[in-house]
Amino acid sequence: MIKSALQIAREKYIPKVPAALKGSVKIVEGEKTQSVADQAEIEKMFPHTYGLPVLSFETSDEKKDYPAIKVGVILSGGQAPGGHNVISGLFDGIKRLNSNSQLYGFLGGPSGLTDNVYKELTSDIIDCYRNTGGFDIIGSGRTKLEEEWQFEKALENCKKLGIKALVIIGGDDSNTNAAVLAEYFMAKGAGIQVVGVPKTIDGDLKTEMIETSFGFDTACKVYSELIGNIQRDANSAKKYYHFIKLMGRSASHIALECALQTQPNVTIISEEVAAKNMTLDDVVNQIVDVVVKRAEKGENFGTVLIPEGLVEFIPAMKTLIGELNDLLAKFESEVNNLESNKERREFVAGKLSKESAEVFTQLPNSFANQLLLDRDPHGNVQVSMIETEKLLIDMVKAKVKALKKEGKFKGKFKAQAHFFGYEGRCAAPSNFDADYTYSLGNAAAILIAEGKTGYMASVRNLTAPADEWLAGGVPITSMMNLERRHGVMKPVIQKALVNLDGAPFKKFAENRDDWALNTQYIYPGPIQYFGPSEVCDLPTKTLALER
Ligand code: FBP
């Protein structure tokens, strides 16, 4: 591997960990848990792993002997900064408890486990990846483990290698895989533990015990640097509106955090759009209103942040997408066999409800085609491929033109479209993410050593100095509910959407009118890896406000 100067210097960074993870650890059991919803159904689906207690780690004087163990690790789903540090924290953690323990990485995500493609992760490999971004140490994938044959293969392959514990590093869907597998291994009496680690830049895997998913901090800092740079350009040239779509499949946490960090002129929060039952037209009018008012002040430039998942939160679009998901699952081969996009649109429109067909046929063809693209293996619409930013620019342009004709708009409107997503997912982790992920890896090692299964590693109290962070484990079933996927109700981890009564949204809502009309941009600059703690160790505004 050819290393950059920063990578070489950064390899030497020693992640900060909670005091409880520094020496011998005692596990304290808390209250027994329940799933967040659909308790009876989830309990029936997870008879062996439902209702487990929350676990906290405390320092202990007792020196315990742990047997050597072979552990497998899987990176699952979209990349998030810090994945490599979870693995290095896990490696150091199991080695500290018994230096003969071994770590195997399954390659390319969950399919590596079923296809038995793996490599042993030795210290010389691990050392090359410390504090780096990316998932390239073993690769990632989106295969969902849900078929009986996959579980059997997983069991067979773990047995062959002598693996006694699996760590699945993933988002809500991937940790659902972890819970299902843990239950299966328990039911079979396989003696193989499964532990999850909360990953996703989207920030929507969170509960009281999981304050944030890793990667959110770094990704938001990268996007905020770029938004800040664009705002400075906009404020210098004073001729463009920049419409910036931000990743985050469903929840608008990334858009909200970036808004708090950069103070753009408009930020759409999908959860608010849904709560206020807004139409696409309402969203467009909200932007046009700001464009018109800024033009009255002679300011024909600005920034508009758009969450990637917006279309799924506009009620009429949500109904349409729900119907499309079911239709595309039911008529998969028929739709795939059609030659042209036009035929596909017509076929689908003929099967939609009257209301949804009306919405669908009024959309620009290019946008309607994007709604028909393949779903991901979990049945989700691939919102990264839907160009909402361009749709909104076209709709704002049309409204502004009409207003100009009526003499109600005297300014200019020229727009540029951007999408910030993939460029944030593999950035070198911020100090926060480097420390948090290494601690999560250490915590996973302890859960394994203590024989726990069906748990997610948890590190809390994250706005305090790392020494005061609290580590432990939370039963994955406690985060679950039933949701419709591919037309069928499935147990999944409930997504944490932006809470409109929460402090981060309130702070944004209190200030947005000021940010809209008076240019109040903040330019956060790049992530700092070396320098004063008040610059290098800052948590996100979301975490700080939520505490
Ligand atoms: P995870 O939920 O797996 O962490 O992935 C999140 C994400 O980055 C979303 O923000 C985005 O919509 C999606 O992945 C893109 O997926 P892909 O990498 O398959 O294009």
Side-chain angles (χ1 to χ4, degrees):
M1 184 192 301
I2 304 164
K3 296 178 185 171
S4 69
L6 176 67
Q7 197 174 332
I8 293 165
R10 195 69 182 153
E11 271 176 4
K12 300 190 185 76
Y13 177 76
I14 313 266
K16 302 185 275 300
V17 295
L21 292 177
K22 286 179 184 158
S24 298
V25 174
K26 178 173 81 184
I27 291 212
V28 179
E29 287 198 359
E31 298 280 299
K32 292 220 175 281
T33 54
Q34 293 233 346
S35 60
V36 281
D38 310 307
Q39 287 88 4
E41 291 91 336
I42 306 272
E43 182 167 13
K44 223 185 255 169
M45 291 169 170
F46 295 89
H48 301 90
T49 49
Y50 187 85
L52 296 169
V54 162
L55 305 174
S56 319
F57 300 161
E58 290 184 5
T59 41
S60 153
D61 298 331
E62 193 195 339
K63 270 250 162 269
K64 280 201 211 165
D65 283 332
Y66 293 97
I69 186 173
K70 286 187 180 176
V71 176
V73 64
I74 298 168
L75 286 164
S76 182
Q79 285 67 246
H84 289 160
N85 267 26
V86 177
I87 294 181
S88 58
L90 174 64
F91 178 84
D92 294 349
I94 59 169
K95 289 280 186 190
R96 200 174 61 215
L97 299 176
N98 188 315
S99 58
N100 292 321
S101 288
Q102 286 169 283
L103 184 62
Y104 289 87
F106 286 99
L107 308 185
S111 62
L113 175 63
T114 49
D115 300 347
N116 206 25
V117 198
Y118 63 87
K119 73 171 170 202
E120 187 182 348
L121 296 170
T122 51
S123 60
D124 49 334
I125 299 177
I126 295 280
D127 287 348
C128 282
Y129 289 91
R130 288 183 191 272
N131 307 309
T132 57
F135 278 7
D136 43 317
I137 187 170
I138 49 173
S140 186
R142 288 200 184 277
T143 305
K144 191 170 170 68
L145 299 175
E146 57 182 353
E147 312 273 346
E148 184 79 17
W149 72 264
Q150 293 174 305
F151 302 151
E152 278 166 17
K153 271 276 163 211
L155 180 53
E156 184 187 315
N157 295 337
C158 284
K159 273 190 179 160
K160 259 193 241 163
L161 269 173
I163 283 180
K164 288 284 176 200
L166 275 176
V167 175
I168 298 183
I169 304 170
D172 50 352
D173 286 329
S174 316
N175 272 285
T176 298
N177 293 351
V180 173
L181 203 57
E183 178 64 31
Y184 179 82
F185 286 157
M186 280 285 272
K188 290 270 162 182
I192 302 171
Q193 302 157 243
V194 186
V195 167
V197 174
K199 169 237 69 169
T200 178
I201 62 161
D202 296 1
D204 56 6
L205 174 47
K206 64 174 169 181
T207 63
E208 210 178 302
M209 296 295 292
I210 305 292
E211 291 175 1
T212 187
S213 52
F214 79 75
F216 176 70
D217 183 274
T218 308
C220 288
K221 283 174 179 160
V222 171
Y223 303 144
S224 296
E225 178 206 350
L226 299 176
I227 295 163
N229 294 350
I230 282 182
Q231 292 191 148
R232 217 158 197 160
D233 194 273
N235 200 11
S236 305
K238 301 194 190 291
K239 63 176 181 181
Y240 291 126
Y241 269 88
H242 293 270
F243 281 57
I244 305 168
K245 184 176 79 167
L246 290 163
M247 227 181 212
R249 187 203 318 282
S250 188
S252 307
H253 297 292
I254 293 179
L256 179 57
E257 172 64 24
C258 292
L260 293 167
Q261 287 193 29
T262 62
Q263 306 192 170
N265 303 105
V266 180
T267 304
I268 309 295
I269 300 296
S270 306
E271 290 81 348
E272 187 182 31
V273 169
K276 292 187 172 164
N277 215 358
M278 288 166 78
T279 61
L280 189 54
D281 225 40
D282 293 333
V283 174
V284 173
N285 286 338
Q286 188 183 328
I287 302 169
V288 169
D289 190 48
V290 173
V291 170
V292 170
K293 286 189 177 135
R294 285 179 66 80
E296 281 161 11
K297 297 175 68 180
E299 308 220 308
N300 293 302
F301 65 93
T303 42
V304 180
L305 303 191
I306 304 146
E308 182 181 69
L310 175 64
V311 285
E312 288 193 281
F313 283 78
I314 296 169
M317 295 289 285
K318 187 181 174 176
T319 312
L320 166 65
I321 289 171
E323 285 184 32
L324 287 176
N325 288 349
D326 291 353
L327 276 179
L328 293 176
K330 195 165 161 198
F331 298 102
E332 195 181 352
S333 54
E334 286 91 332
V335 173
N336 288 343
N337 286 338
L338 293 169
E339 296 263 304
S340 67
N341 283 330
K342 185 168 180 282
E343 284 172 289
R344 274 187 278 275
R345 285 197 309 272
E346 284 169 1
F347 175 85
V348 163
K351 301 219 168 322
L352 289 167
S353 67
K354 190 169 157 280
E355 296 75 21
S356 289
E358 214 172 288
V359 176
F360 187 67
T361 47
Q362 278 171 17
L363 290 170
N365 287 344
S366 59
F367 194 79
N369 293 340
Q370 288 165 11
L371 293 183
L372 296 182
L373 291 171
D374 284 345
R375 272 45 183 163
D376 77 3
H378 300 277
N380 299 309
V381 178
Q382 301 199 51
V383 280
S384 301
M385 292 174 152
I386 298 179
E387 294 177 323
T388 326
E389 69 284 18
K390 292 194 180 150
L391 176 75
L392 288 177
I393 289 178
D394 287 348
M395 293 180 80
V396 170
K397 214 180 255 171
K399 291 237 172 197
V400 157
K401 204 170 158 194
L403 289 176
K404 201 161 210 162
K405 263 197 183 151
E406 292 170 32
K408 291 180 183 157
F409 176 66
K410 302 214 162 43
K412 290 185 193 130
F413 178 75
K414 279 204 278 182
Q416 301 278 359
H418 311 262
F419 168 37
F420 296 158
Y422 298 95
E423 48 275 79
R425 297 202 310 186
C426 283
S430 60
N431 278 0
F432 174 88
D433 270 329
D435 299 345
Y436 180 43
T437 47
Y438 188 83
S439 302
L440 285 168
N442 272 192
I446 290 166
L447 290 169
I448 290 167
E450 293 289 337
K452 305 298 174 192
T453 191
Y455 276 88
M456 190 182 289
S458 146
V459 175
R460 301 180 290 135
N461 200 27
L462 294 171
T463 50
D467 197 49
E468 295 165 32
W469 289 356
L470 305 170
V474 56
I476 303 177
T477 51
S478 70
M479 304 175 181
M480 290 187 141
N481 69 165
L482 294 179
E483 281 176 25
R484 198 175 187 78
R485 296 289 170 94
H486 283 301
V488 184
M489 294 309 275
K490 296 251 166 168
V492 292
I493 294 175
Q494 194 176 46
K495 272 195 200 305
L497 301 180
V498 167
N499 175 6
L500 301 181
D501 293 320
F505 181 79
K506 280 190 174 158
K507 171 94 181 172
F508 158 74
E510 277 160 22
N511 289 287
R512 64 176 146 189
D513 291 346
D514 178 31
W515 301 349
L517 301 190
N518 310 311
T519 303
Q520 302 277 31
Y521 301 150
I522 294 178
Y523 314 114
I527 294 176
Q528 299 297 308
Y529 300 98
F530 304 97
S533 177
E534 67 269 22
V535 183
C536 298
D537 296 327
L538 269 183
T540 56
K541 305 251 178 220
T542 304
L543 259 185
L545 288 161
E546 277 172 350
R547 294 309 297 159

